[in-house]
Amino acid sequence: MAPHIGLNDVPGYILPALVITVSLYWLWRREMARVPGPRGLPIIGNIPQVAGGGFDQKLQKFRDRYGNIFRLKLGEMTTVFVFGLKNIEEVLLGRDENFAMRPNWLYIPDKVIQKKGLIWTNGDMWQKMRNIMTTTQTSPDSGQHTEKQILAEVEHVFNILSTGSDPERNGIDPNELFGASTFNILSSFIFGQRFDVTESDYSLLRDGIADITERNKSQNPVNMFPSLGACMRRKRDAAIDKENELFAILKKYLTSHENSSNRESPRDVMDTYIQQTEQEKDTDKPNRENNFLRSIIDMYIYGSEMTSSLLLWTVVYLVRYPDVQQRCQQEIDSVVGDRAVTTADNSDSLPYCRAVLREILRISSPAIMTTLHTNTKSSVVGGHAIPERSLVVCDLHNPRIDDTIWDNPLEFQPERFLTKLNEEQERVASLSFGLGPRCCPARKLVDTAHFLYTMNLIRHFRISHHDERAQIPLTSNYKGVSLKPTPFRVVFTPRQPQGSVS
């Protein structure tokens, strides 16, 4: 009979060794699951490591060192940055829409913006605001009216370019011109009308929106150090006063719409808002109205800046690749003749032009990162534990230049979009507008404006670098809203035949 081995027969060091082994394994697993990142200084964290320009390039260096998921501590803000298509989709398209919320408890969204608008609301109010934007874009009456207004804006730009704006042929910087145009395209979508640049409301709105855009950036020091809020009440109150000034201007146009709106067939965002508010009989009209007015400001901040930057990148590539520009012009001439290019008549009949626009959006989209997301419960993404209520930003740029997804991704090749893409490529090609419930609600408007503006512009002009001995640069600046090309000058030379865009 085998002898019975009791607890007293086990060597004394075995049990402590077992406990230590299990504890070390548990600590190792926990450490492996934690999001890695660079060491920071007390209180200020990693701020010195990201200060100055080139924030997007610095993020790439952190990614090279710490992997596809890493964290940066910016004061009291610890932000998790997510790279890699699988990880990005896990965040933006994950089950239960866990990351679909905005961290509107941060100081600026909470104390200044007061959790209003399309960007910083959550829940039912956010759904209502988003629905207004998407419904307006899918309405046939609104679509026709918006397209007509875009063509009118393009004609206005043609008149400027054709009447001696560059008499010495030294070239012009199109940044201000495109900025004013895209602001007016959005104004037509929102109000149903464009502004003349001499109108006081144009200046008040554009300057006011530029001012609060700068004041309310997520990387504002008061977001990183909320305790500073007590010392910055005057600045906070000034920012709130500036928003209220903009609200007063927007309210004036809303009241005018209420008196003349076509309830049955809305033509613009304000018409849609009035129609939906009356149908739903909202009992909290003041709150809904303030959210709506703030949503308009959000559209101007993001929509105008992104569309303007996209048009600038489009000009850069058309100038850098004159053979591509010429092929687009030949396709337009053969299909359209001397008429205007419209989406209704020409969207599907200009496949090469469409491929060029998609390739520009792939290789140099202005959107390189999402706005801040947060999670309602702790999650594991890419093997790393992300605690509840984390600040999360997803990369939108690198999958578009990933050589495991695209052949020669850093080369400008519109022809890649003339053949059928695989499923993964199709998802990545749309990544510029984000994914999931928080993706860009104005995608159709941006696509329409990009197509109409570009096609009619190159239909009427040959665009070249002001110094034909030098190549137009591909360098860029990132200012926290969009990725813009560095300033450049180009010459717009009228070409024949020229048709009316009216």
Side-chain angles (χ1 to χ4, degrees):
M1 183 175 179
H4 174 73
I5 300 177
L7 188 61
N8 293 331
D9 299 315
V10 177
Y13 62 85
I14 293 292
L15 192 57
L18 183 61
V19 170
I20 292 172
T21 300
V22 171
S23 299
L24 288 174
Y25 177 75
W26 180 79
L27 289 171
W28 175 81
R29 287 288 303 272
R30 190 179 71 169
E31 185 63 28
M32 290 298 291
R34 288 178 59 186
V35 179
R39 288 186 177 183
L41 297 173
I43 303 176
I44 62 175
N46 304 117
I47 290 177
Q49 293 157 283
V50 297
F55 182 67
D56 54 322
Q57 299 165 14
K58 291 172 182 176
L59 290 182
Q60 293 295 336
K61 293 180 180 178
F62 288 128
R63 181 198 182 192
D64 292 341
R65 181 170 181 180
Y66 297 104
N68 278 334
I69 299 178
F70 61 89
R71 51 110 188 107
L72 293 176
K73 190 173 186 302
L74 308 175
E76 296 178 34
M77 287 175 56
T78 298
T79 303
V80 177
F81 292 86
V82 178
F83 288 75
L85 182 60
K86 183 179 178 182
N87 297 327
I88 295 165
E89 291 183 330
E90 196 171 341
V91 170
L92 301 180
L93 300 175
R95 285 181 295 174
D96 305 322
E97 298 181 355
N98 185 31
F99 287 91
M101 305 290 281
R102 297 292 190 205
N104 56 14
W105 63 80
L106 294 173
Y107 186 90
I108 293 292
D110 183 24
K111 304 299 183 184
V112 179
I113 300 174
Q114 298 172 7
K115 302 178 181 177
K116 296 191 299 285
L118 190 61
I119 302 300
W120 293 108
T121 48
N122 290 317
D124 183 59
M125 184 59 72
W126 164 68
Q127 292 286 2
K128 289 179 179 179
M129 295 301 106
R130 182 180 178 86
N131 187 50
I132 291 168
M133 306 303 170
T134 54
T135 299
T136 306
Q137 291 171 89
T138 56
S139 163
D141 291 322
S142 173
Q144 293 173 11
H145 180 70
T146 300
E147 181 165 323
K148 182 179 178 181
Q149 293 293 328
I150 294 172
L151 290 174
E153 189 60 40
V154 172
E155 184 174 27
H156 177 75
V157 171
F158 288 178
N159 291 334
I160 293 174
L161 294 175
S162 301
T163 53
S165 60
D166 183 22
E168 303 298 326
R169 292 184 62 81
N170 293 322
I172 65 170
D173 180 349
N175 181 50
E176 181 59 30
L177 184 66
F178 288 173
S181 286
T182 54
F183 188 92
N184 264 328
I185 287 171
L186 271 172
S187 298
S188 298
F189 179 64
I190 294 164
F191 306 118
Q193 67 180 65
R194 71 181 300 277
F195 290 103
D196 189 280
V197 295
T198 60
E199 290 183 59
S200 60
D201 282 354
Y202 170 83
S203 299
L204 289 171
L205 278 172
R206 197 161 180 215
D207 293 346
I209 288 166
D211 181 65
I212 65 172
T213 301
E214 188 62 32
R215 290 175 186 265
N216 295 349
K217 286 182 178 179
S218 296
Q219 59 268 40
N220 190 299
V222 78
N223 276 341
M224 303 178 192
F225 303 99
S227 55
L228 292 176
C231 308
M232 302 178 70
R233 288 182 181 175
R234 291 179 63 182
K235 287 190 174 182
R236 180 198 65 189
D237 292 343
I240 293 173
D241 289 343
K242 179 61 69 175
E243 291 214 4
N244 288 336
E245 290 175 13
L246 296 177
F247 278 18
I249 298 172
L250 299 175
K251 173 66 174 175
K252 178 177 67 175
Y253 288 93
L254 180 58
T255 301
S256 176
H257 268 66
E258 288 173 338
N259 295 331
S260 61
S261 175
N262 185 347
R263 268 74 165 169
E264 299 303 319
S265 53
R267 297 192 311 166
D268 53 52
V269 166
M270 286 196 166
D271 281 348
T272 303
Y273 168 77
I274 293 167
Q275 181 194 61
Q276 293 190 2
T277 303
E278 291 179 348
Q279 288 175 348
E280 296 176 14
K281 295 181 173 58
D282 201 322
T283 57
D284 191 11
K285 186 178 178 181
N287 181 44
R288 182 166 180 166
E289 184 175 282
N290 284 333
N291 271 283
F292 174 62
L293 298 178
R294 175 66 213 194
S295 294
I296 291 175
I297 294 174
D298 289 339
M299 287 196 69
Y300 274 121
I301 291 173
Y302 291 91
S304 180
E305 178 72 17
M306 288 293 181
T307 308
S308 173
S309 298
L310 181 56
L311 290 174
L312 290 171
W313 280 116
T314 300
V315 168
V316 166
Y317 279 94
L318 290 173
V319 170
R320 195 173 179 90
Y321 296 90
D323 56 323
V324 170
Q325 181 182 168
Q326 184 177 24
R327 184 172 169 183
C328 285
Q329 290 166 337
Q330 290 171 347
E331 185 177 65
I332 294 170
D333 288 346
S334 65
V335 173
V336 179
D338 62 354
R339 295 173 288 112
V341 182
T342 65
T343 55
D345 297 334
N346 310 121
S347 179
D348 297 327
S349 56
L350 298 170
Y352 183 75
C353 291
R354 276 290 189 190
V356 169
L357 298 188
R358 293 192 75 186
E359 176 69 346
I360 291 169
L361 195 60
R362 179 195 70 83
I363 200 168
S364 285
S365 169
I368 62 171
M369 288 185 288
T370 63
T371 307
L372 286 170
H373 288 250
T374 191
N375 46 336
T376 54
K377 57 186 178 183
S378 59
S379 304
V380 176
V381 176
H384 296 291
I386 300 181
E388 177 186 348
R389 287 169 60 92
S390 292
L391 306 179
V392 180
V393 173
C394 290
D395 163 58
L396 299 178
H397 175 67
N398 284 277
R400 303 196 306 264
I401 56 169
D402 187 338
D403 59 11
T404 67
I405 299 175
W406 309 94
D407 293 331
N408 304 314
L410 296 179
E411 294 183 13
F412 182 67
Q413 296 179 354
E415 290 77 11
R416 73 175 83 242
F417 286 99
L418 292 176
T419 57
K420 185 176 177 58
L421 303 181
N422 62 43
E423 185 179 334
E424 185 179 46
Q425 289 171 332
E426 282 289 358
R427 298 200 309 274
V428 173
S430 300
L431 197 58
S432 301
F433 296 96
L435 296 172
R438 287 284 185 169
C439 67
C440 175
R443 174 175 180 173
K444 185 175 181 181
L445 175 65
V446 174
D447 271 340
T448 301
H450 189 204
F451 176 78
L452 290 177
Y453 206 106
T454 304
M455 294 302 99
N456 284 293
L457 190 66
I458 63 175
R459 168 74 185 80
H460 286 259
F461 296 92
R462 183 178 74 87
I463 315 171
S464 57
H465 195 220
H466 77 101
D467 182 0
E468 295 196 352
R469 296 167 298 178
Q471 184 71 278
I472 192 169
L474 288 175
T475 51
S476 59
N477 291 321
Y478 181 67
K479 295 293 180 73
V481 176
S482 70
L483 189 73
K484 275 191 171 185
T486 50
F488 59 87
R489 302 183 69 83
V490 289
V491 175
F492 292 89
T493 306
R495 63 181 294 269
Q496 297 292 336
Q498 292 191 37
S500 170
V501 298
S502 301

